[in-house]
Amino acid sequence: MEDRIKARYWIETAFPLQEAAESMAGEQSTGTFVRVPGETDELRERHAARVESISEQDSVSRPSLPGAGVPKGLSGSPAYRRAEVVLSWPLSNLGPSLPNVLATVAGNLFELKPFSGLRLLDVNFPPAFLECYQGPQFGVAGTRKLANVYRRAVIGTIIKPSVGLSPEATGELVRSLAESGIDFIKDDELQADGPHCPFADRLRAVMEIINKHADRTGKRVMYAVNITGEMDEMLRRQDQVVAAGGTCVMVSLNSVGLPALARLRRDCRVAIHGHRNGWGIYGRSPAIGMSYVAYQKFWRLAGADHLHVNGLQNKFCEDDESVIASARECLAPMFSAPGRGCEVMPVFSSGQSVRQVPATFGALRSTDLIYACGGGVMAHPDGIAAGVRSLHQAWEAATAGIELVDYGRSHSELLAALRKFAA
Amino acid sequence: MEDRIKARYWIETAFPLQEAAESMAGEQSTGTFVRVPGETDELRERHAARVESISEQDSVSRPSLPGAGVPKGLSGSPAYRRAEVVLSWPLSNLGPSLPNVLATVAGNLFELKPFSGLRLLDVNFPPAFLECYQGPQFGVAGTRKLANVYRRAVIGTIIKPSVGLSPEATGELVRSLAESGIDFIKDDELQADGPHCPFADRLRAVMEIINKHADRTGKRVMYAVNITGEMDEMLRRQDQVVAAGGTCVMVSLNSVGLPALARLRRDCRVAIHGHRNGWGIYGRSPAIGMSYVAYQKFWRLAGADHLHVNGLQNKFCEDDESVIASARECLAPMFSAPGRGCEVMPVFSSGQSVRQVPATFGALRSTDLIYACGGGVMAHPDGIAAGVRSLHQAWEAATAGIELVDYGRSHSELLAALRKFAA
């Protein structure tokens, strides 16, 4: 059986569903707006995208997005039908190329006239992609090994203030964090190589402290240093990170694009922390864009080891169910090949503190995650060390099935955090 | 005066506008959800994003997007106010880096809780970016020189069927097109290096014909060959294009990302044709994403020479006014530096034929554009050569201020095209 790429969509259209689905398939494979001479039946048979299934849902009387067409000759106001549609393409149309899959499954079709809404819900890559893409180098198990953290959540934080600290001030903050027992520290996505905090100087200042701390204690804090930049800058910075003894680099995925991530992955000797800032453009409207399920598959194949999934009761608009679904998806294999499922470490972040720990563990039933708190560590009333301890205590309680308030009676840092970060 | 990056947004919020705008500025610069110890007043003063202006518009009773918060203690159903907001950032927060500007002006803020809608409308780069980015190498004037087309629109077409043709069949089609007097031919965005039409074979087959035609007639057809792929593939393919005598490469912008385009630009010796497939994710919802005005500035600075703007009465959802606004924007300088305005050639495409020519010229009052017709050339009832001639005739008529039907009386190819492609 020939390998095919499959994609599932949510659509909304005033046209008959079969006709609408076929227009998607046509636009994204053999078609143009009129049939052209070279478009033989044999060619269509071999290369046309196929409508695999259509599953009708509800309908609405007003279109979700403006600009959609309605069938000619339709009288009165049309119903806009909603459905899930699965299309498939022969892999031989494009070959196992992530940027070209993106242009195929998430290209022009978002603008097609028959649709008042169209979202990519999922995409399935045939195993041939595993021959061309390396996927995560470290993923869950490798990250645990690099951070030397087993059988519990990786407790992390974010350098705050987001911008404005000098390399030396960043180093001093990292010193406090390392001494507080933190596992993981990430730069803010707003700080990569600003003139007041140049990359090389920040890396040097921070790694000096991390290295000394590791020499003294045996614990090497994982520092996801933001290398987001131009292609050669990112490659050079990765080398600098390795040379400095670092174990992780961070990139803003939407800023760098798939080929840059795949290129970085090829040379990379440390974990790649994938920040999803800008994700709102893809994910926030229910009528356009793509689901996180589809989105994260591209970045996993390209080589991300960690992927942001937001967090419960976050400062953004996403509901908890969606956050947990994203995290589960990161931990689910993409392929059935042994050792090549491309699982990645989900990163919980955005307004996180001790208070979301029980619900996070309750829903995910796993500690395979990075739990990153900015203010949730640094704004603890008794200081950073107490902030880190409070998070360890919260995870101990949650995994043991003990209520945080109960555990807080014998753990003062947790108690103080619960008071400070009450919802 | 310090250099600042400015961005203009459309927002919709149930919160007081000043408070909402300040939350955007805070999230995208110094802030976290609680104030942290290092966040001194001096640091805020120097690095905080600034709310430059707020211009209130209408308000609505229902939020455009789900998930937005409402002010605490608000009784009844809130009004969702709309406004244009201008924010600015000191360049020294991030330095002149396109991927990091993207993370700053189009990052997390799309997901912020106070907003039921948020769109980036425009962004202004300080001149320092011209020191780091090359911008278009060819743009309008260089493309005209490469294609040897002056004082009229560049008449183009797209290889159709989009997928399924072998390299040899593609070459044969190009032969017919070249003999028909076409100026410009582009690959479809669905075909880059598919196993049935490998890049190297297609390039060889097509360039052999283009070179022979150029030797015989002096006219070198510009072929935008789709090099979209991984970073090293794109660089290698650009070299192959140059070696084969080509004058243009095409990339799917959203598939490759800004750093890959900037990297390609550095080595590139031919024009870069930027295809915007996937643009619907950014542009289609009025409540989220970004305007084409903002979008195209990033790609121009990174080095695109041609940018797709859709076309009038297209097969997509965009209205004509928006298409013309996009094309005008491509032709407007981004910087006042002499010879460094980064103007690019707008590409009209999508269901285009002779019938949209008068309105296109009428609205743009310029022939600085590529007018690309797939079916509009190939499905001409009298063949490809007649299709190309009909387009030349349509542009002659439009620029001379003659109605197409009148001109068609003495120009049979135009007449036949008007009959075939009637709206």
Side-chain angles (χ1 to χ4, degrees):
Chain A
M1 206 192 68
E2 198 205 17
D3 274 348
R4 295 183 79 84
I5 296 161
K6 281 190 188 179
R8 185 162 56 88
Y9 298 90
W10 174 90
I11 62 168
E12 182 186 284
T13 179
F15 287 77
L17 291 174
Q18 185 70 35
E19 185 183 330
E22 279 166 10
S23 77
M24 293 167 73
E27 170 69 20
Q28 295 308 117
S29 59
T30 55
T32 178
F33 74 111
V34 288
R35 220 178 225 244
V36 294
E39 194 180 351
T40 61
D41 287 343
E42 190 211 341
L43 182 148
R44 282 178 77 92
E45 177 63 32
R46 194 178 303 160
H47 295 285
R50 195 187 287 157
V51 178
E52 297 283 350
S53 68
I54 299 174
S55 165
E56 187 160 0
Q57 299 179 335
D58 57 332
S59 73
V60 289
S61 57
R62 289 162 53 103
S64 292
L65 295 176
V70 295
K72 271 180 193 159
L74 194 78
S75 61
S77 54
Y80 293 86
R81 287 185 200 86
R82 292 164 165 186
E84 279 196 16
V85 168
V86 176
L87 304 185
S88 74
W89 289 258
L91 179 58
S92 66
N93 275 23
L94 57 151
S97 163
L98 284 181
N100 288 302
V101 174
L102 197 66
T104 299
V105 305
N108 277 344
L109 80 181
F110 292 110
E111 297 175 71
L112 286 176
K113 199 112 180 169
F115 300 94
S116 54
L118 195 150
R119 263 174 82 79
L120 175 64
L121 299 180
D122 201 358
V123 55
N124 284 311
F125 299 95
F129 280 83
L130 280 179
E131 290 157 31
C132 299
Y133 290 95
Q134 299 176 289
Q137 182 174 193
F138 294 94
V140 175
T143 296
R144 286 198 173 287
K145 205 169 164 188
L146 286 175
N148 196 23
V149 173
Y150 300 95
R151 290 172 298 282
R152 62 173 180 83
V154 176
I155 303 297
T157 192
I158 302 132
I159 302 288
K160 298 281 178 185
S162 317
V163 286
L165 295 182
S166 65
E168 294 68 35
T170 308
E172 283 313 305
L173 182 58
V174 167
R175 184 195 305 277
S176 306
L177 288 163
E179 287 171 357
S180 302
I182 200 100
D183 301 318
F184 173 91
I185 301 171
K186 64 176 275 293
D187 278 336
D188 197 274
E189 81 277 9
L190 299 172
Q191 190 51 261
D193 188 35
H196 71 283
C197 190
F199 174 83
D201 296 343
R202 187 173 72 253
L203 178 71
R204 193 180 311 116
V206 169
M207 287 312 302
E208 190 181 308
I209 283 155
I210 286 178
N211 288 335
K212 277 190 188 156
H213 185 77
D215 291 346
R216 205 165 51 237
T217 65
K219 183 171 179 70
R220 178 168 296 277
V221 178
M222 179 176 267
Y223 172 43
V225 54
N226 186 0
I227 66 168
T228 302
E230 297 304 329
M231 186 74 251
D232 294 350
E233 286 175 337
M234 290 193 279
L235 294 175
R236 191 170 61 239
R237 288 172 187 165
Q238 192 278 144
D239 288 340
Q240 293 173 282
V241 170
V242 171
T247 55
C248 190
V249 293
M250 168 174 143
V251 288
S252 289
L253 301 171
N254 300 312
S255 293
V256 308
L258 289 164
L261 185 68
R263 178 65 190 84
L264 172 66
R265 165 68 178 88
R266 227 178 58 212
D267 284 6
C268 203
R269 284 165 283 166
V270 298
I272 299 175
H273 185 85
H275 198 292
R276 73 175 196 182
N277 67 79
W279 157 248
I281 290 182
Y282 302 84
R284 185 142 181 220
S285 166
I288 195 83
M290 64 175 78
S291 76
Y292 190 75
V293 173
Y295 175 83
Q296 49 94 36
K297 285 187 177 176
F298 284 92
W299 300 108
R300 284 164 70 175
L301 256 179
D305 293 293
H306 310 157
L307 284 172
H308 277 239
V309 296
N310 205 345
L312 301 191
Q313 305 153 48
N314 55 73
K315 64 183 169 180
F316 298 136
C317 300
E318 190 175 2
D319 64 33
D320 290 353
E321 198 183 347
S322 167
V323 172
I324 292 297
S326 295
R328 282 202 186 113
E329 200 62 34
C330 290
L331 294 170
M334 271 179 71
F335 297 95
S336 56
R340 296 296 307 278
C342 298
E343 296 87 344
V344 299
M345 198 90 165
V347 181
F348 285 75
S349 175
S350 166
Q352 299 298 286
S353 70
V354 291
R355 71 185 168 89
Q356 295 102 328
V357 170
T360 303
F361 180 72
L364 202 61
R365 304 311 298 174
S366 171
T367 58
D368 285 342
L369 56 93
I370 296 173
Y371 195 75
C373 307
V377 162
M378 300 208 201
H380 191 285
D382 301 320
I384 289 177
V388 173
R389 276 198 294 278
S390 72
L391 285 161
H392 281 290
Q393 292 161 2
W395 277 95
E396 285 159 23
T399 48
I402 303 168
E403 296 282 334
L404 292 194
V405 285
D406 293 339
Y407 206 66
R409 278 188 204 113
S410 52
H411 295 84
S412 61
E413 295 89 350
L414 176 57
L415 187 68
L418 287 171
R419 284 183 182 145
K420 170 79 180 183
F421 303 114
Chain B
M1 206 190 68
E2 198 206 16
D3 274 347
R4 296 183 77 85
I5 295 162
K6 280 191 189 180
R8 186 162 55 89
Y9 298 90
W10 174 90
I11 62 168
E12 182 186 286
T13 180
F15 288 77
L17 291 174
Q18 185 71 34
E19 185 184 331
E22 279 167 10
S23 77
M24 295 166 71
E27 171 68 21
Q28 295 309 117
S29 60
T30 55
T32 177
F33 74 113
V34 288
R35 217 180 228 242
V36 293
E39 196 180 349
T40 61
D41 287 344
E42 190 211 341
L43 183 148
R44 284 178 75 92
E45 177 61 32
R46 193 177 306 160
H47 295 285
R50 194 188 288 158
V51 179
E52 297 282 352
S53 67
I54 299 174
S55 164
E56 187 159 0
Q57 299 180 334
D58 57 333
S59 73
V60 289
S61 57
R62 288 162 53 104
S64 292
L65 295 177
V70 296
K72 272 181 194 159
L74 196 78
S75 61
S77 54
Y80 293 86
R81 287 185 199 86
R82 292 164 166 186
E84 278 196 16
V85 168
V86 176
L87 304 185
S88 75
W89 290 258
L91 178 58
S92 67
N93 274 22
L94 57 151
S97 162
L98 284 181
N100 288 303
V101 175
L102 196 66
T104 299
V105 306
N108 277 344
L109 79 181
F110 292 111
E111 297 175 70
L112 286 177
K113 200 107 178 176
F115 299 94
S116 55
L118 195 151
R119 264 173 81 80
L120 175 64
L121 299 180
D122 199 358
V123 55
N124 285 311
F125 298 95
F129 280 83
L130 280 177
E131 290 157 31
C132 299
Y133 290 94
Q134 298 176 289
Q137 182 174 192
F138 294 94
V140 175
T143 296
R144 287 198 172 287
K145 204 168 167 188
L146 286 175
N148 197 21
V149 173
Y150 300 95
R151 288 171 299 281
R152 62 173 179 82
V154 176
I155 302 296
T157 190
I158 302 131
I159 302 288
K160 299 279 179 186
S162 318
V163 287
L165 295 181
S166 66
E168 294 69 34
T170 307
E172 283 314 306
L173 182 59
V174 167
R175 184 195 304 279
S176 305
L177 288 163
E179 287 169 357
S180 302
I182 199 99
D183 302 317
F184 173 91
I185 302 171
K186 65 177 275 292
D187 278 335
D188 197 274
E189 82 277 8
L190 299 172
Q191 191 52 259
D193 188 35
H196 72 282
C197 190
F199 174 82
D201 297 343
R202 186 172 76 253
L203 178 70
R204 193 180 311 116
V206 169
M207 287 313 302
E208 191 182 309
I209 283 154
I210 286 178
N211 288 334
K212 277 187 187 156
H213 185 78
D215 291 346
R216 204 165 53 239
T217 65
K219 183 172 179 68
R220 177 168 297 277
V221 178
M222 179 176 267
Y223 172 42
V225 55
N226 186 0
I227 65 167
T228 302
E230 296 304 330
M231 188 72 251
D232 294 350
E233 286 174 336
M234 291 193 280
L235 294 175
R236 191 169 61 239
R237 288 172 186 164
Q238 192 278 142
D239 288 339
Q240 292 173 283
V241 170
V242 171
T247 55
C248 190
V249 292
M250 166 172 142
V251 288
S252 289
L253 301 171
N254 300 313
S255 294
V256 309
L258 289 164
L261 185 68
R263 177 67 190 82
L264 172 66
R265 165 68 178 88
R266 229 178 57 211
D267 284 6
C268 205
R269 282 165 285 166
V270 297
I272 298 175
H273 185 86
H275 198 292
R276 72 175 196 182
N277 67 81
W279 157 248
I281 290 183
Y282 302 85
R284 185 142 180 221
S285 165
I288 195 85
M290 64 175 77
S291 76
Y292 190 75
V293 172
Y295 176 83
Q296 49 93 38
K297 286 188 177 176
F298 284 91
W299 300 109
R300 284 164 71 175
L301 254 180
D305 293 294
H306 310 158
L307 283 172
H308 277 240
V309 297
N310 206 346
L312 300 191
Q313 303 153 49
N314 54 73
K315 64 183 169 180
F316 299 136
C317 300
E318 190 175 1
D319 65 33
D320 290 353
E321 198 183 346
S322 167
V323 173
I324 292 297
S326 296
R328 281 200 188 117
E329 199 62 33
C330 290
L331 294 170
M334 269 178 73
F335 297 94
S336 57
R340 295 297 306 278
C342 297
E343 297 87 345
V344 297
M345 197 91 165
V347 182
F348 285 75
S349 176
S350 167
Q352 299 299 286
S353 71
V354 293
R355 72 183 167 90
Q356 295 103 328
V357 171
T360 303
F361 180 73
L364 202 62
R365 304 310 300 175
S366 171
T367 58
D368 284 341
L369 57 95
I370 296 173
Y371 195 75
C373 307
V377 162
M378 300 207 199
H380 191 286
D382 301 320
I384 289 176
V388 173
R389 276 198 295 277
S390 72
L391 284 161
H392 280 290
Q393 292 160 2
W395 277 96
E396 284 158 24
T399 47
I402 304 167
E403 295 280 334
L404 293 194
V405 286
D406 294 338
Y407 206 66
R409 282 191 199 110
S410 53
H411 295 84
S412 61
E413 294 90 350
L414 176 57
L415 187 67
L418 287 170
R419 283 181 183 146
K420 170 78 180 180
F421 302 114

